[in-house]
């Protein structure tokens, strides 16, 4: 059962923090989930403490510092620390992270507090940085386009190329322009049954879109083993050699699987990186043998659910997912 009351959210936060202590490799995403539950419970000061604890740790142990900062800023603004929140958001823009999530959280914070021009500027900066001309729009970046479209409609601005792209990527039956129409708010107070029915249909469509996103909060992830981890895995469990063969075959199969999923229309694809100790611990928790090939997809799903997935495909000019040190375009992005 999902938490409904502040007490339920506090209980869930405590459970997540206990789990984080048991699984240090997943400490960051579990603590972030705990902080979110504390916010929902109304304990925003304690949530800020969790964000501070994450940011105060050794830099090498933090995977997503800009996301943590954006979540901290959103939380601070909600309980009266606007100046500090603004300073954090300005710092995120200056840093220019190559991940869509911190940009989105910060922009939605500005929008929620009626800072529409700042939100628009923030989203435009993010898209300029993250969206290469002529490339397919990454799944994570689509939400930035949608958010920017919404803000521009609220500001009464005419469509531009990015608005057209947002509309083209929108798959719900109600067009994006209708969903983001500021006049919809007035129709909620109408006594005309026709107008009310039309608005209910729009709201159902919008809710359906949100539910679809929430039902897939984690990418469909495939499992990648770095070279030294794969060597250790196959040495310890030779039965998995048929699954992976060798490093080159493993990388080729992984890229092919992702491309096939993409061609089939599967959104939100990602890659999770395995380690032998983590895999063995997972096998023990499942009371299964690490040599069983059927355990590998479950392990990948678990890593993705703990926030360990990296979106695929990367930018063609970004680092390749395989760790070769080359760009994706000149490595596995060829072809």
């Amino acid at each position: 059962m999902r938490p409904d009351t502040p007490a339920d959210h506090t209980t869930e936060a405590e459970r997540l923090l206990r789990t984080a202590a048991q699984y240090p490799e997943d400490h960051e995403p579990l603590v972030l989930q705990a902080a979110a539950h504390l916010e929902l419970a109304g304990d925003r000061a304690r949530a800020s403490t969790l964000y501070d604890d994450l940011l105060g740790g050794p830099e090498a142990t933090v995977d997503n510092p800009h996301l943590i900062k954006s979540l901290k800023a959103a939380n601070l603004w909600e309980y009266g620390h606007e100046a500090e929140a603004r300073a954090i958001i300005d710092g995120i823009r200056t840093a220019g992270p190559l991940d869509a999530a911190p940009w989105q959280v910060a922009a939605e914070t500005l929008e929620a507090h009626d800072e529409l021009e700042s939100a628009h500027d923030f989203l435009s900066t993010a898209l300029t940085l993250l969206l290469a001309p002529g490339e397919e729009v990454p799944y994570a970046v689509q939400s930035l386009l949608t958010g920017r479209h919404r803000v521009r409609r609220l500001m009464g601005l005419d469509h531009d190329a990015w608005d057209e792209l947002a509309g083209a990527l929108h798959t719900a039956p109600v067009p994006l322009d209708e969903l983001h129409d500021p006049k919809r708010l007035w129709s909620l107070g109408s006594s005309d049954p026709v107008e009310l029915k039309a608005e209910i249909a729009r709201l159902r469509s919008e809710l359906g879109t949100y539910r679809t996103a929430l039902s897939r909060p984690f990418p469909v992830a495939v499992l990648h083993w770095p070279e030294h981890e794969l060597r250790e895995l196959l040495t310890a469990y030779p039965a998995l050699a048929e699954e992976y063969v060798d490093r080159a075959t493993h990388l080729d199969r992984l890229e092919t699987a992702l491309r096939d999923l993409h061609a089939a229309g599967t959104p939100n694809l990602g890659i999770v990186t395995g380690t032998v100790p983590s895999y063995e611990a997972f096998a023990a928790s499942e009371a299964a043998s690490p040599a069983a090939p059927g355990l590998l997809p479950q392990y990948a799903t678990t890593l993705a659910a703990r926030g360990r997935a990296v979106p695929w495909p990367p930018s063609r000019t970004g680092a390749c997912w395989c760790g070769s040190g080359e760009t994706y375009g000149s490595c596995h992005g060829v072809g």
Side-chain angles (χ1 to χ4, degrees), residues 10-23:
T10 299
T11 299
E12 180 63 11
E14 297 293 355
R15 185 192 68 80
L16 287 164
L17 291 173
R18 290 193 298 271
T19 304
Q22 292 176 321
Y23 298 96

Side-chain angles (χ1 to χ4, degrees), residues 299-320:
Y299 175 54
T301 300
T302 299
L303 291 178
R306 291 176 180 171
R308 310 302 294 183
V310 176
W312 180 95
S315 165
R316 295 186 66 83
T317 57
C320 187

Side-chain angles (χ1 to χ4, degrees), residues 195-243:
E195 288 186 6
L196 289 173
K197 286 180 180 179
E199 181 57 23
I200 289 170
R202 295 188 190 100
L203 289 171
R204 283 176 173 167
S205 172
E206 192 167 17
L207 180 60
T209 301
Y210 287 139
R211 282 178 172 166
T212 298
L214 289 171
S215 69
R216 300 175 60 84
F218 311 110
V220 175
V222 296
L223 181 58
H224 166 233
W225 295 94
E227 185 173 5
H228 65 286
E229 294 289 349
L230 182 62
R231 188 184 310 114
E232 182 179 343
L233 180 75
L234 297 182
T235 300
Y237 308 104
L240 296 178
E242 184 175 346
E243 185 76 19

Side-chain angles (χ1 to χ4, degrees), residues 90-133:
D90 288 343
I92 292 170
R93 176 171 179 168
T94 300
L98 299 177
D99 176 21
W103 292 98
Q104 181 175 352
V105 172
E108 288 180 352
T109 300
L110 291 166
E111 180 186 353
H113 293 278
D114 295 324
E115 301 281 344
L116 296 182
E117 290 188 9
S118 295
H120 177 267
D121 185 51
F122 208 82
L123 289 164
S124 298
T125 301
L127 289 169
T128 301
L129 182 66
L130 300 177
L131 192 57

Side-chain angles (χ1 to χ4, degrees), residues 27-33 35 47-59 61-65 68 71:
H27 181 262
E28 182 177 328
L30 290 169
V31 171
L32 288 179
Q33 290 179 51
S48 285
T49 299
L50 292 184
Y51 295 134
D52 288 337
D53 289 344
L54 286 172
L55 293 169
E59 187 173 342
T61 65
V62 179
D63 293 329
N64 302 290
I68 298 170
L71 292 168

Side-chain angles (χ1 to χ4, degrees), residues 268-317:
N268 202 16
L269 297 171
I271 298 173
V272 291
T273 299
T275 67
V276 173
S278 170
Y279 178 58
E280 290 175 335
F282 174 74
S285 70
E286 294 291 313
S289 168
L295 194 64
L296 296 165
Q298 299 176 46
Y299 175 54
T301 300
T302 299
L303 291 178
R306 291 176 180 171
R308 310 302 294 183
V310 176
W312 180 95
S315 165
R316 295 186 66 83
T317 57

